[in-house]
Amino acid sequence: KRENFKGLFMRILASILFFIFVSLSAAFVYLYSQVTFDASNIIDFKPKLTTQIYDRNGELIANIFDENRIYVKYEDIPPRVIEALVAIEDTSFFEHGGVNPEAITRAIVKDIKAGKLVEGASTLTQQLVKNMVLTREKKLTRKVKEMIISMKLENELSKEQILERYLNHVYLGHGYHGIKTAAKGYFRKELNELTLKEIAILVGLPKAPSTYDPTRHLDLSLSRANNVISRMNALGWISDAEYKAALVEQPVVFDDTLTQNKAPYIVDEVLKEASKRFEDIKTGGYVIETSVDLKVQDMASEALKYGYNEILKRNKDANASILNGAIVVTLPKTGEILALVGGVDYAKSSYNRATQSMRQPGSSFKPFIYQIALDMGYSPMSKAADISRVFNEGSQYEWRPKNYSGGFQGYITLREALRQSRNLATINLLDEIGLDTAYKKLTEMGFKNIPKNLSIALGSFGISPLEFAKFYSMFPNGGEIVEPSLIKRIINYQNLEAVFEPERTFVTEPEQAYLMTDMMKTVVERGTGQSARLNGVQVAGKTGTTNNNIDAWFCGFTPEVEVVVWYGNDDNTPMRKVEGGGRTAAPVFKKFMESYMKEYPLKQKTFIEPEGVFHTAYEGLIEVYTKISPVPKQDAQDTLIKQDDEGLIF
């Protein structure tokens, strides 16, 4: 009976054990099948990455991110980083299959002896699983699931792939995700530039990122790093000399802001443009190379603030909260934007007046009317009537425009009319060449939303400073409009690149554009733009002041650089009568260019005259002309003009 009972007991025990085994196996198979999705998130690793924006000299402008993470491939991670990480976190990493039974047993024994949890046994693979797809709750089911996923990962991925994912995903404090990000953030170094002590600080952070954050608790961080170094020495992975040198090292730790946004107006525009081609621009880990020069951006910002402060000095009653300005600096031949400042203080107003504000250009638009006339056969010596006229253009409303400085001069050359910015001469010229013709030509150039009436001669429509800079490029660029561009190329984390090329629009022949440039040189040399003159460098440009001094412009260029400056009140209320293009905006052009030339001396200081431009003596001046714009055969007839009570009229 005893033997029968023993046999029965063994069969029952075997059945129970078999049942437990089958149940555990079934549970394991079930859980294994359930973790496929969680594992796939790690296998098909697609982390949120930081997009970095750089200036033309390779200087970082800003980091853009949801999670601040710069990706690094395994082959670009120094072996010493791997050694330090494995030494302190998982010495048997390259031997186990995702779970370390020996470590688990050792941890259980220590926990039982202590009567509490004193030692964990998670492998690096398990840590990756816990951080990426599971919660940190201390439940047996979660731990089992963690182990199962870890084993699945070890079957699907190589050890190197697991380490690559771990080191790119891990949070290292201070908002830094991934070891490359932390190296740049804490030490401003690439991984291959780190010292052993710096590496030890980084690999020691995952245990408690906030506690060991070297910007907050340097003493604790160094102590943890020394534990890493000691462990490496105990394993024989570093020599005693390296060990001793690393222990006494005191690395320099930087407490940088995460975004490091040095040019917010630029960043806003870059993201707006880049997002048209890349929807994930903020999380895709792109490198954006721009045409911007941060030094030039700072110069432009300082010049804009200078002009702003000068306005406030002249008018103690000015409302500093609504007064503002914008400045755009480009290389007109390439379209590259060197600087773009959309306001005097981004912190107070992020509204970008350089790109979003639609302001009337006033007289700064006149060169485009004169260019059309030149292309139709007029020359700088041709004459326009600076006389009073009344226009109604088929409506009951009568328009009697006036010159800004008053008075009438009769027939004057186009050069003289532009030099003095004579409104009446320009309006009469537009009427003479034909409103329909001019409107068609302006539309072909690309101007939009311009009114089809004679007021366009005075710039009676809205345009942004950046858009205006585009059209002004036709003069220094020999008759070709070049679209201003901020982005040169965008590179994704796989090193695939997209190159941005500016659009170009041919408008007129180089010699015709030169005639206009030569006329605008006169504006600066002895006209309304004299405040923009530079010593030893030719400058061409045009001032602009709208009705009631609401807007003040100066659009100018040297043979190499183009600058558009605007000031006004954000609510379109008038500035003081003394504020205009010549007094308000032109000095800012000069202020900026003097700073620019100190840093970047101009290689070309005079405008190059293209073939097909000829010279002649005319009314005491040496004038320029072309075959298309020849010397006038005869002067205009003064007999067409008579005097009335209000001045000279037809």
Side-chain angles (χ1 to χ4, degrees):
K1 290 182 179 180
R2 185 178 297 172
E3 290 178 357
N4 290 338
F5 177 78
K6 184 177 180 181
L8 178 62
F9 175 78
M10 293 302 295
R11 287 195 297 273
I12 292 173
L13 179 61
S15 298
I16 292 172
L17 291 175
F18 178 76
F19 177 77
I20 294 173
F21 175 77
V22 171
S23 298
L24 289 175
S25 298
F28 182 86
V29 171
Y30 172 76
L31 288 173
Y32 193 88
S33 65
Q34 294 298 304
V35 301
T36 301
F37 175 76
D38 290 332
S40 66
N41 287 338
I42 303 176
I43 294 169
D44 300 323
F45 187 47
K46 295 178 181 178
K48 291 181 178 179
L49 302 176
T50 299
T51 288
Q52 296 185 292
I53 303 174
Y54 289 91
D55 84 341
R56 66 190 299 112
N57 301 311
E59 185 173 349
L60 180 67
I61 297 176
N63 293 316
I64 306 298
F65 55 84
D66 283 348
E67 292 180 356
N68 192 10
R69 177 183 291 109
I70 304 171
Y71 200 87
V72 58
K73 294 182 179 179
Y74 180 82
E75 54 265 30
D76 296 323
I77 302 172
R80 182 126 288 178
V81 172
I82 304 297
E83 291 172 355
L85 174 67
V86 170
I88 197 63
E89 292 290 348
D90 187 0
T91 309
S92 303
F93 174 74
F94 288 99
E95 284 77 48
H96 63 65
V99 177
N100 189 339
E102 292 181 10
I104 293 173
T105 303
R106 185 169 58 249
I108 291 173
V109 171
K110 288 187 178 181
D111 291 344
I112 292 174
K113 287 182 178 179
K116 59 181 179 179
L117 293 174
V118 295
E119 182 172 318
S122 294
T123 63
L124 280 172
T125 311
Q126 287 176 269
Q127 290 181 40
L128 177 62
V129 171
K130 179 170 59 179
N131 291 333
M132 282 196 66
V133 299
L134 298 179
T135 65
R136 291 182 175 272
E137 60 180 348
K138 296 182 178 180
K139 291 185 178 180
L140 181 60
T141 54
R142 188 205 63 79
K143 193 66 178 178
V144 172
K145 195 174 182 181
E146 174 189 298
M147 296 168 67
I148 293 172
I149 297 174
S150 297
M151 289 187 285
K152 184 174 180 62
L153 289 180
E154 294 275 350
N155 287 329
E156 297 284 341
L157 299 173
S158 67
K159 291 289 186 178
E160 291 77 11
Q161 289 173 318
I162 291 171
L163 283 172
E164 181 175 319
R165 283 156 175 75
Y166 179 91
L167 286 170
N168 280 290
H169 176 80
V170 67
Y171 180 64
L172 298 172
H174 204 68
Y176 301 136
H177 295 262
I179 196 161
K180 183 172 183 177
T181 319
K184 283 178 170 286
Y186 288 128
F187 306 117
R188 297 180 185 173
K189 291 182 177 181
E190 296 294 339
L191 288 174
N192 60 6
E193 298 172 330
L194 296 174
T195 66
L196 178 58
K197 188 61 162 283
E198 290 166 343
I199 290 172
I201 288 175
L202 295 181
V203 301
L205 283 165
K207 183 177 182 180
S210 296
T211 302
Y212 296 127
D213 182 340
T215 65
R216 298 169 58 193
H217 308 291
L218 184 58
D219 54 340
L220 296 178
S221 180
L222 292 174
S223 176
R224 172 68 172 163
N226 288 340
N227 289 339
V228 174
I229 295 165
S230 296
R231 177 63 176 162
M232 294 179 73
N233 181 247
L235 292 170
W237 293 356
I238 59 173
S239 66
D240 290 341
E242 289 174 308
Y243 166 71
K244 292 177 182 178
L247 284 181
V248 298
E249 183 189 342
Q250 292 284 332
V252 177
V253 178
F254 297 92
D255 190 3
D256 289 336
T257 59
L258 300 184
T259 59
Q260 299 189 45
N261 194 335
K262 299 173 184 175
Y265 285 116
I266 291 290
V267 171
D268 289 352
E269 289 306 307
V270 167
L271 291 178
K272 186 189 301 182
E273 186 63 29
S275 63
K276 295 176 183 177
R277 294 178 65 171
F278 302 95
E279 293 182 357
D280 64 337
I281 196 66
K282 293 184 179 181
T283 59
Y286 297 93
V287 170
I288 304 177
E289 296 178 0
T290 71
S291 59
V292 174
D293 187 320
L294 280 175
K295 290 181 181 178
V296 180
Q297 180 76 5
D298 289 341
M299 296 173 199
S301 182
E302 289 303 311
L304 190 70
K305 290 175 183 176
Y306 161 79
Y308 172 82
N309 290 329
E310 288 298 304
I311 298 172
L312 295 179
K313 286 179 185 177
R314 289 191 291 267
N315 182 12
K316 303 299 182 182
D317 297 325
N319 189 338
S321 64
I322 62 171
L323 176 66
N324 227 299
I327 184 170
V328 177
V329 183
T330 63
L331 297 177
K333 289 180 171 56
T334 63
E336 294 172 284
I337 298 173
L338 295 180
L340 185 150
V341 185
V344 294
D345 189 344
Y346 184 90
K348 293 181 179 178
S349 173
S350 61
Y351 179 66
N352 195 329
R353 295 153 191 85
T355 61
Q356 296 174 284
S357 182
M358 305 297 285
R359 307 294 295 223
Q360 290 193 10
S363 294
S364 60
F365 182 69
K366 288 175 181 175
F368 299 95
I369 302 298
Y370 285 75
Q371 185 70 65
I372 292 171
L374 293 175
D375 294 343
M376 292 176 64
Y378 290 72
S379 78
M381 294 164 280
S382 299
K383 292 190 175 183
D386 183 41
I387 57 178
S388 177
R389 289 187 65 185
V390 178
F391 301 94
N392 58 35
E393 297 185 310
S395 67
Q396 293 182 348
Y397 170 74
E398 289 188 347
W399 181 43
R400 185 184 285 267
K402 298 179 181 180
N403 285 317
Y404 182 77
S405 57
F408 311 93
Q409 295 185 12
Y411 276 107
I412 58 176
T413 64
L414 300 193
R415 182 185 295 277
E416 194 62 17
L418 188 70
R419 180 185 75 81
Q420 299 183 53
S421 196
R422 305 296 287 181
N423 291 344
L424 295 173
T426 307
I427 294 167
N428 288 322
L429 174 65
L430 174 58
D431 187 54
E432 186 176 312
I433 64 179
L435 178 60
D436 288 343
T437 299
Y439 185 87
K440 181 175 181 294
K441 295 289 186 182
L442 291 170
T443 302
E444 289 173 353
M445 288 181 191
F447 283 102
K448 298 177 182 177
N449 303 317
I450 53 176
K452 197 172 183 180
N453 59 56
L454 292 173
S455 69
I456 60 172
L458 307 182
S460 61
F461 64 97
I463 192 169
S464 71
L466 179 60
E467 184 79 354
F468 210 26
K470 175 184 79 172
F471 291 110
Y472 252 85
S473 68
M474 65 179 283
F475 305 122
N477 200 35
E480 188 175 48
I481 293 173
V482 183
E483 187 85 28
S485 58
L486 275 172
I487 302 174
K488 299 175 75 172
R489 64 174 181 160
I490 297 179
I491 308 166
N492 70 8
Y493 77 98
Q494 295 175 319
N495 283 327
L496 300 176
E497 66 177 47
V499 178
F500 287 62
E501 293 290 346
E503 294 183 6
R504 295 174 176 268
T505 304
F506 176 79
V507 177
T508 188
E509 297 296 335
E511 58 268 26
Q512 296 303 113
Y514 179 81
L515 293 184
M516 194 65 249
T517 296
D518 193 65
M519 290 170 64
M520 283 192 281
K521 276 170 50 185
T522 308
V523 172
V524 176
E525 289 169 356
R526 51 188 180 87
T528 60
Q530 293 182 66
S531 296
R533 285 183 298 186
L534 299 171
N535 291 329
V537 177
Q538 289 185 343
V539 177
K542 184 68 186 75
T543 56
T545 308
T546 58
N547 286 343
N548 299 317
N549 303 78
I550 291 176
D551 301 278
W553 295 77
F554 183 75
C555 306
F557 52 93
T558 71
E560 294 182 7
V561 182
E562 178 187 320
V563 183
V564 172
V565 181
W566 167 85
Y567 286 97
N569 289 323
D570 282 338
D571 62 356
N572 282 288
T573 54
M575 296 183 288
R576 287 185 67 199
K577 195 70 176 175
V578 297
E579 304 302 340
R583 184 171 189 176
T584 306
V588 174
F589 171 92
K590 180 176 183 177
K591 176 79 172 177
F592 166 77
M593 283 303 306
E594 287 177 341
S595 298
Y596 179 87
M597 292 188 299
K598 286 180 181 178
E599 184 69 27
Y600 302 111
L602 299 181
K603 297 178 181 179
Q604 186 181 335
K605 297 183 178 180
T606 59
F607 294 103
I608 298 175
E609 188 177 285
E611 293 183 10
V613 176
F614 309 99
H615 299 260
T616 187
Y618 188 85
E619 295 186 353
L621 298 172
I622 301 299
E623 271 291 4
V624 291
Y625 67 96
T626 67
K627 291 182 179 179
I628 296 175
S629 302
V631 179
K633 293 182 179 179
Q634 60 183 23
D635 292 346
Q637 299 297 313
D638 291 340
T639 56
L640 294 177
I641 301 174
K642 66 179 182 178
Q643 186 83 22
D644 77 352
D645 293 338
E646 295 189 20
L648 295 169
I649 65 169
F650 277 120

